């Protein structure tokens, strides 16, 4: 992991209150590209896009228990509804996926532009989709279907050239005695020794899934409840025998794995220096829920994929099949639409590196050597697309129309590309070739000073909001619920965008109130205000010109906390 060095290392006292002053180092995405690491990651970093499959017994109740529809995610219904183990096991008699067609699923994923698939081999309910020799709580022994569901998918992936991985819930298991349960057990049948559960169920099953299907490409851990280092070491003793196996950061015991796993959001600044993968649903659930019709549009999903890739990550997009083995029609439709777009723009996705720009008002960017791909979400005024770098651009064209070159005009420290009217309102890709390494225009916050009203750890503050690393954080002093960050841009500067990064996940239900203000004369005026969801926030607002800006942060439940704070103006 690399950090952006902070050129101001001294903490100073400001009269009246303790204020730490530090220099904001501009986060240049080019310098924060994921470094070359183990060769096993090469295919994964080129792939960019995969399919997540959440499938299990929870598709039988499909979000409803005893006539009540549960609003939470479908695969957690046993926990949220506190269904007794014996009663939940009755659902196995209704799990009969006669319409399951692994070949069709793999073809659907491949046509959507996906390069790998990760499927739940066992989720938190403890039910396995394979024939386990250490329990009868699996698809072959407990259901009328009676056949392994994983092998057909593995075989189909290999025939079609897709990589294959298994999700495995190593700690939570709500059916086997001793298994962990978020919120605690609710049925005496769940009681038992956690270590005995690990030794007799979890560890043997991991050995089974890693040895019975040939060489797997990915092992996706989840919710490491009660997973100490000693317990995690038992799993590492297994996975060390598979040097090409990619694992994530959810094993527990302090082990980072190979990938970071932001869930249901795109980090505002990505994970510079690390391999990371945003897992996303198309609606509001992972496991199938019959009444969840809150589907994201194909446009939203394509733009989310682009956002992830532009920041150096992968996107793992979920489908939740029914108990009959059918992928819901809205998922099928969206996958087809994504595939159509990728088929025309694949060069701008696969094998690319992150954007050299921290922010573009009109969209995103990806890079492949001396080619830059500008992903235009919002058509610029009069079609004038500005590229904020001083490099000479030798030619530019629409990726879908390579035979027609676009006009380029050099401007002070940047170039302007004249766009025609665009038929693609989702994401039009402009390709360009340039000379040299990107010489990116300096952003307003680069090299400027920021004052912080308070902080929890004084010796870390100067490295927190300036290191381009969302895994570090600034926190206000203990007990504080309000805080102020103040920035001096040294001269009046046009600002139209606020970006903050926060260190939480959506499921933690964090929220902070933000008010961005600018100084006009002796008064502070409000430019923008919003409430975040705890994962970060980016907002474009009516441009304001000022030298001094401040960010007021209020957190009702804990100390105000941020990972990054950045301001941008027009290109």
């Amino acid at each position: 992991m690399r950090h952006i060095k902070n050129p101001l290392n001294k903490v100073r006292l400001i009269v009246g209150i303790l204020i730490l002053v530090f220099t904001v180092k501009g986060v240049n995405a080019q310098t924060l590209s994921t470094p070359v690491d183990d060769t096993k990651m090469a295919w994964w970093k080129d792939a960019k896009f995969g399919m997540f499959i959440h499938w299990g017994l929870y598709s039988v109740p499909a979000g409803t228990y005893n006539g009540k529809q549960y609003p939470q995610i479908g695969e957690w219904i046993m926990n949220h509804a506190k269904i007794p183990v014996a009663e939940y096991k009755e659902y196995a008699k209704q799990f009969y996926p006669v319409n399951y067609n692994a070949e069709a699923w793999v073809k659907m994923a491949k046509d959507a532009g996906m390069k790998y698939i990760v499927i739940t081999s066992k989720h938190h309910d403890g039910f396995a989709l394979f024939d386990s020799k250490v329990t009868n709580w699996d698809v072959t022994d407990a259901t009328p279907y009676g056949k392994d569901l994983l092998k057909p998918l593995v075989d189909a992936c290999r025939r079609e050239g897709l990589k294959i991985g298994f999700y495995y819930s190593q700690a939570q298991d709500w059916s086997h005695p001793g298994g962990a349960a978020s919120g605690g057990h609710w049925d005496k049948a769940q009681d038992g020794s956690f270590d005995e559960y690990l030794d007799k169920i979890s560890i043997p099953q991991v050995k089974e899934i890693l040895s019975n299907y040939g060489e797997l490409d990915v092992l996706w851990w989840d919710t490491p409840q009660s997973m100490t280092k000693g317990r995690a070491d038992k799993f590492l003793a297994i996975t060390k025998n598979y040097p090409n196996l990619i694992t994530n950061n959810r094993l527990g015991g302090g082990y980072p794995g190979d990938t970071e796993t932001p869930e249901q959001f795109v980090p505002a600044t990505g994970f510079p220096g690390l391999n990371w993968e945003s897992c996303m649903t198309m609606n509001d659930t992972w496991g199938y829920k019959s009444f969840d019709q809150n589907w994201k549009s194909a446009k939203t999903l394509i733009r989310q994929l682009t956002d992830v890739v532009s920041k150096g990550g992968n996107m793992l997009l979920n489908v939740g099949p029914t108990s009959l083995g059918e992928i819901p029609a809205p998922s099928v439709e969206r996958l087809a639409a994504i595939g159509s777009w990728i088929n025309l723009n694949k060069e701008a996705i696969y094998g690319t590196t992150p954007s050299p720009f921290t922010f573009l008002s009109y969209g995103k960017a990806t890079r492949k050597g001396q080619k830059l791909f500008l992903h235009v979400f919002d058509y610029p005024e009069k079609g004038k697309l500005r590229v904020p770098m001083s490099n000479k651009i030798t030619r530019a064209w629409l990726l879908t129309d390579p035979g027609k070159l676009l006009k380029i005009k050099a401007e002070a420290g940047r170039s302007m590309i004249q766009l025609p009217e665009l038929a693609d309102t989702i994401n039009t890709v402009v390709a360009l070739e340039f000379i040299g390494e990107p010489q990116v225009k300096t952003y307003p916050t680069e090299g400027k000073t920021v004052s912080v009203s308070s902080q929890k750890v004084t010796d870390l503050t100067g490295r927190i909001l300036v290191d381009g690393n969302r895994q570090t954080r600034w926190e206000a002093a203990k007990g504080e619920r309000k805080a102020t960050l103040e920035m001096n841009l040294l001269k009046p500067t046009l600002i139209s965008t606020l970006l903050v990064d926060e260190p939480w996940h959506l499921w933690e239900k964090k929220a902070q109130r933000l008010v961005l203000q600018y100084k006009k004369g002796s008064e502070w005026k409000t430019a923008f205000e919003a409430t975040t969801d705890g994962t970060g926030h980016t907002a474009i607002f009516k441009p304001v010109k000022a030298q001094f800006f401040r960010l007021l942060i209020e957190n009702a439940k804990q100390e105000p906390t941020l990972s990054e704070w950045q301001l941008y103006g027009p290109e």
Side-chain angles (χ1 to χ4, degrees), residues 471-508:
Q471 293 188 304
T472 60
R473 64 180 72 178
W474 159 81
E475 295 178 82
K478 185 176 180 180
E480 296 288 335
R481 293 294 179 265
K482 296 181 180 180
T484 301
L485 309 180
E486 189 171 327
M487 185 181 297
N488 180 358
L489 299 182
L490 301 183
K491 64 180 181 179
T493 305
L494 196 63
I495 296 296
S496 57
T497 302
L498 164 73
L499 181 150
V500 297
D501 211 345
E502 297 169 298
W504 302 297
H505 285 273
L506 280 174
W507 67 73
E508 297 178 88

Side-chain angles (χ1 to χ4, degrees), residues 200-221:
K200 292 187 175 181
I201 300 293
S202 189
I203 291 170
Q205 285 191 333
V206 170
K207 291 178 179 178
E208 288 177 335
I209 61 177
L210 289 178
S211 60
N212 292 343
Y213 299 94
E215 186 173 344
L216 294 181
D217 301 296
V218 177
L219 181 56
W220 219 95
W221 309 113

